[in-house]
Amino acid sequence: MSTLGRTLELYFIDGRPDGMLTAEVFNWTGHVLRIPRTLLKEGLARDHARFTGVYVLIGEVDGAPMAYVGEAEDMRDRIRQHSASKEWWDSVVLITTSADSLHKAHVKYLESRLVEIARSVNVGALENGNTPPRSSLNEASIANMESFLESLLMVLPAIRVDHFDQKRRPASVAAPQSAPTAQFTMILPRHGITATARLEEGEMVVEAGSHARASWIGKNQERDGYFKDHANLLASGVIVRDGEFGIFTEDYAFSSPSAAAAVVSGRPANGRTSWLLTDTRQTYAEWELAQLAETTP
């Protein structure tokens, strides 16, 4: 994934953050339209809905996230069919280009790659029964589609589509000249739980081998925002049960220190005080204040 800055333009069509929106990136041909099911009539009346593209149905089944990835030469007709045959979804994301320049082989390739990525990320279930085969494209077209996909994978999390957001982190070997990374430790001594993490590109990466609770102990699962994260990591094998503990099998990135602390402790937790800098034992909050003080002229 490119490390260069990009400009993402979100347009809230009806002026509401939970309503219809379009997403485009400067110098990218792609066009993304998110339509709540309650606004399906209005959304499908828009020109881009009849273009050739890939779409993602998003919803929940029994409280667990569900998605379905498909492709069509006229997405409007296909989504109408799904509206009649599938009850569980509550929004759809239509992915195409501003000039309707994708053809059937392009979208079949993108459909296959998105299903592959969603299965790898494993944020929630996919209704797709199998991973569709990639279409036959020449080398140049494959490179173009992978470049298109790179930008798309930046856009989707920004519009709250997390099914393709890879939080697993491969084990990395730091280059000698690389900047030092802040290392943190979280200990629950009464329960024998120790976890280590590093701050990396604005995310809290809990490292492989760290302990976590094997079960969620928060009292209000419906209100505990990180309960589903804990359950999904167990279901996907990122955390495996080992006796009374859970153990991280690989590095995993969380959006905040509190998200990481909650999954480790199995209940809501303040990550700003739970994580301690490994060498100085400062809390994350104290370390952050010290970092900010260094930037003060």
Side-chain angles (χ1 to χ4, degrees), residues 35 37 61 88 92 153 157 160 168 175 178 181 190 195 238 257:
I35 309 171
R37 193 165 183 170
V61 174
W88 56 267
V92 60
L153 294 177
R160 305 198 306 272
R168 298 183 182 195
S178 62
T181 301
R190 290 179 55 190
V238 173

Side-chain angles (χ1 to χ4, degrees), residues 83-114:
S83 180
S85 63
K86 299 181 187 295
E87 297 290 338
W88 56 267
W89 61 280
D90 52 36
S91 65
V92 60
V93 176
L94 307 183
I95 303 158
T96 184
T97 61
S98 297
D100 195 17
S101 56
L102 297 175
H103 58 61
K104 185 70 170 180
H106 288 150
V107 295
K108 287 186 70 65
Y109 182 90
L110 291 173
E111 175 195 36
S112 177
R113 288 287 286 118
L114 285 173

Side-chain angles (χ1 to χ4, degrees), residues 124-231:
L126 275 184
E127 198 189 42
N128 300 72
N130 299 301
T131 301
R134 299 184 191 181
S135 56
S136 297
L137 294 174
N138 62 34
E139 186 176 6
S141 294
I142 290 175
N144 288 338
M145 288 301 95
E146 289 296 328
S147 177
F148 184 94
L149 189 62
E150 180 180 10
S151 293
L152 177 62
L153 294 177
M154 179 192 72
V155 170
L156 292 177
I159 61 172
R160 305 198 306 272
V161 179
D162 297 326
H163 293 76
F164 311 97
D165 190 12
Q166 182 60 269
K167 293 297 186 180
R168 298 183 182 195
R169 294 290 185 267
S172 59
V173 178
Q177 69 274 20
S178 62
T181 301
Q183 298 283 337
F184 295 89
T185 302
M186 179 175 170
I187 301 175
L188 302 177
R190 290 179 55 190
H191 308 286
I193 290 175
T194 300
T196 59
R198 64 183 184 272
L199 195 63
E200 186 174 277
E201 296 182 351
E203 295 180 306
M204 202 70 167
V205 181
V206 177
E207 297 174 331
S210 295
H211 290 156
R213 286 190 187 273
S215 301
W216 187 262
I217 64 167
K219 294 181 179 179
N220 298 313
Q221 292 185 0
E222 295 298 323
R223 297 177 59 188
D224 292 345
Y226 301 116
F227 163 69
K228 289 182 180 179
D229 291 342
H230 187 273

Side-chain angles (χ1 to χ4, degrees), residues 40-62:
L40 198 57
K41 177 182 176 181
E42 294 83 351
L44 294 185
R46 298 181 69 85
D47 288 343
H48 288 88
R50 60 180 174 79
F51 287 2
T52 299
V54 184
Y55 60 88
V56 184
L57 304 179
I58 300 169
E60 291 187 348
V61 174
D62 296 329

